[in-house]
């Protein structure tokens, strides 16, 4: 990895796509059928240095649960600094239903 690309601004400058489609697949517990969903993200939706928050949790009884309320939540990566967000960008995140989570969440999971 070139050292000149170790900051969010340089990475953003080198992005070469208009949109990105993410596909998630799984198996329904109700019907045992294969299920999938696709989500399109445009360049302004990409936050450099942020990860999606984990959505899969284990309850106290050992049962695995998917928290769909976390679908668009992001957290700053622990290993690198994320792009600086202006208040206008944070407001835009909420309009697109993207939630910025505290970095302390990263250390508890």
């Amino acid at each position: 990895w070139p050292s000149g690309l170790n900051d969010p601004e340089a990475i953003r400058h080198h992005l070469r796509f208009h949109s990105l489609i993410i596909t998630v697949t799984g198996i329904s517990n109700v019907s045992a059928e294969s299920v999938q969903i696709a989500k399109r993200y445009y360049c302004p939706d990409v936050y450099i240095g942020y990860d999606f928050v984990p959505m899969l949790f284990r309850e106290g009884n050992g049962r695995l649960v998917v928290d769909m309320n976390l679908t668009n939540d992001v957290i700053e990566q622990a290993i690198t600094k994320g792009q600086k967000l202006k208040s206008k960008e944070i407001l835009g995140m909420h309009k697109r239903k993207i939630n910025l989570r505290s970095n302390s969440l990263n250390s508890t999971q």
Side-chain angles (χ1 to χ4, degrees):
W1 185 265
S3 61
L5 293 179
N6 283 342
D7 68 87
E9 291 80 20
I11 293 170
R12 166 101 33 220
H13 178 73
H14 286 84
L15 292 181
R16 302 286 187 246
F17 64 88
H18 176 68
S19 66
L20 179 68
I21 298 175
I22 304 296
T23 304
V24 178
T25 60
I27 298 176
S28 168
N29 282 340
V30 176
S31 64
E33 297 275 334
S34 178
V35 294
Q36 67 177 353
I37 189 167
K39 169 79 175 164
R40 179 183 302 250
Y41 293 95
Y42 295 93
C43 255
D45 297 329
V46 176
Y47 292 93
I48 308 298
Y50 291 83
D51 288 327
F52 285 104
V53 173
M55 296 173 46
L56 187 62
F57 296 94
R58 189 171 300 277
E59 290 184 330
N61 61 7
R63 183 173 168 232
L64 286 175
V65 177
V66 178
D67 186 346
M68 296 302 290
N69 293 319
L70 299 174
T71 301
N72 289 312
D73 291 12
V74 294
I75 188 169
E76 190 169 9
Q77 293 175 348
I79 59 171
T80 187
K81 193 169 183 120
Q83 73 183 60
K84 293 180 181 171
L85 299 175
K86 300 173 187 155
S87 58
K88 180 172 76 171
E89 288 176 309
I90 293 172
L91 289 173
M93 291 172 80
H94 293 297
K95 286 181 184 175
R96 292 189 302 269
K97 296 184 173 32
I98 299 171
N99 298 313
L100 181 62
R101 296 287 176 166
S102 166
N103 206 3
S104 63
L105 181 65
N106 218 7
S107 62
T108 60
Q109 296 180 7

